[in-house]
Amino acid sequence: MMNVAEAENEKMQWAAITGVIATVSVFAIAQGLSYPLLSFILQRQGISPAIIGLSAAMTPIGFIVSSPLIPALARRFGAGRTALTCAALSAVVLALIGWTQNVYLWFPLRFLIGVVTNPLYVLSEIWVIALAPASRRGRVMGVYSTVISAGFAAGPLCLLAVGTVGWPPFLVGIFAFIFCGACLALVLPRLPKVDEAGHQVSVMGFMPLAWLLLSAVVLAAGFEQGVLALLPVYGTHYGIAEARMSALLSAMIAGNIAMQVPLGLLAERLTARLVRFICVLATALGCVLLPLLIETPLIWPCVFIWARSPTAFTRCRSSSSASALRVRRWLPAMPPSR
Amino acid sequence: MWDVGGILVPPLTGGVMDVIGASGLPITLGAICLALSVATILRRRMV
């Protein structure tokens, strides 16, 4: 009888994990869509690349500002209610962005998008880590990261279907946020309670221990977000259609997903540092080839490998470090992940 | 740290694109890779 109950409990846990991952992947679609969409719109308005880049930087600022508030919000209102409210607010803020279409109003609105989407990512990661059996936690987090990346890649692909003009692309994003909230409401009763524990882990304390890793993360993130925000602008300088640029961005993010495992295997055979070095050299070569290949079909394999190189490896390592920091802060009783 | 990169690099790259045109994108991103390579080599020598 006990075994049947345990099996049933495990089944429910897997259902909850699947629900959370599916929900966040829909959320990632909306986010993946918004980066190039807003760049295309600003480019059409004749806004300079510097302002487009500055506008894109507002969302990460929102992420940083909101991060310290998440524990207090989860404690005060409950993690589930916080996540649901954030999903609803994300839909509202995206609707406001679509409605205003003004570069200067988009600065605070994009900042707000960062503020309201961040808790959902953080809380979902904590839920998945807490729900996953310790023996399979690494694999579950690998699936979690991959599915989110796939959602992110699907965002620019949506622009191929709905275009970048008027309300249709915004409605896709708004619907995705609402759908995400509805799915989350369904799995919420099965999710574990999130409590902040006493352990405080300082990123500043971590910095001297892994300064190269952290600087690689900064540069890789900057690379990825710079490409997402400004490759659409770059393409228009060559007269390339917006649909093709959206597809190129999707190919780039698909490369992100596809290269993670091969790079991990390569790092096991060689050394992590050597693989990282090869990665950055390959990316530098991609930068040289970009202007030469942008108007040829060879650009497809180029972007597939290109943007991946610095990011895939650092992301594997940094996300596990970030997860460890988050988890140790929230779930100190949990055994260390293998 | 992921977000710090997102805050710094897009405005910087956009600024370079304003000054030297579209080629500012691959040049800035290439310079970032170069910085990463140098950091990797330096770290290797220090260890």
Side-chain angles (χ1 to χ4, degrees), chain B residues 5 13 24 27-28 34-35:
Chain B
T13 311
I27 287 173
T28 314
L34 201 67

Side-chain angles (χ1 to χ4, degrees), chain A residues 151-195:
Chain A
F152 211 72
L157 273 183
C158 289
L159 295 179
L160 284 177
V162 296
T164 59
V165 180
W167 273 102
F170 288 100
L171 288 175
V172 170
I174 292 164
F175 178 77
F177 285 137
I178 293 169
F179 182 76
C180 162
C183 290
L184 194 64
L186 286 176
V187 295
L188 218 51
R190 292 175 189 173
L191 297 178
K193 195 171 182 292
V194 172
D195 285 316

Side-chain angles (χ1 to χ4, degrees), chain B residues 13-39:
Chain B
T13 311
V16 177
M17 288 174 81
D18 271 355
V19 176
I20 62 171
S23 55
L25 178 74
I27 287 173
T28 314
L29 299 180
I32 286 171
C33 293
L34 201 67
L36 214 73
S37 317
V38 171

Side-chain angles (χ1 to χ4, degrees), chain A residues 114-196:
Chain A
V115 171
V116 295
T117 54
N118 192 32
L120 202 116
Y121 282 116
V122 173
L123 293 171
S124 70
E125 198 171 324
I126 290 163
W127 279 324
V128 172
I129 291 170
L131 282 165
S135 59
R136 296 182 192 172
R137 193 167 291 135
R139 268 170 283 178
V140 170
M141 288 316 290
V143 170
Y144 171 84
S145 301
T146 305
V147 172
I148 286 186
S149 296
F152 211 72
L157 273 183
C158 289
L159 295 179
L160 284 177
V162 296
T164 59
V165 180
W167 273 102
F170 288 100
L171 288 175
V172 170
I174 292 164
F175 178 77
F177 285 137
I178 293 169
F179 182 76
C180 162
C183 290
L184 194 64
L186 286 176
V187 295
L188 218 51
R190 292 175 189 173
L191 297 178
K193 195 171 182 292
V194 172
D195 285 316
E196 189 188 12

Side-chain angles (χ1 to χ4, degrees), chain A residues 212-214 216-217 263 266-267 271-283 309-310 313-314 317, chain B residues 33 36-37 39-40 43:
Chain A
L212 179 61
L213 170 63
L214 291 177
V217 170
L263 283 175
L266 199 63
T271 63
R273 198 173 292 130
L274 181 61
V275 172
R276 192 163 48 225
F277 189 63
I278 294 169
C279 283
V280 289
L281 283 185
T283 311
S309 307
F313 196 69
T314 52
R317 303 189 64 177
Chain B
C33 293
L36 214 73
S37 317
T40 310
R43 170 78 174 164

Side-chain angles (χ1 to χ4, degrees), chain A residues 48-50 53 57 60-61 63-64 211-212 214 216-219 221-225 227 230 234 237 273 280 283 287 311 315, chain B residues 1-7 9-11 13-15 17-18 22 25-26 29-30 32-33 35-37 39-41 43-44 47:
Chain A
S48 76
I61 293 176
F63 286 154
I64 287 179
W211 66 269
L212 179 61
L214 291 177
V217 170
V218 170
L219 294 179
F223 185 98
E224 186 173 281
Q225 297 194 36
V227 168
L230 294 166
Y234 184 78
H237 279 278
R273 198 173 292 130
V280 289
T283 311
C287 291
T311 323
R315 178 177 283 180
Chain B
M1 297 311 283
W2 192 260
D3 301 325
V4 173
I7 293 167
V9 177
T13 311
M17 288 174 81
D18 271 355
L25 178 74
L29 299 180
I32 286 171
C33 293
L36 214 73
S37 317
T40 310
I41 292 167
R43 170 78 174 164
R44 200 172 187 174
V47 172

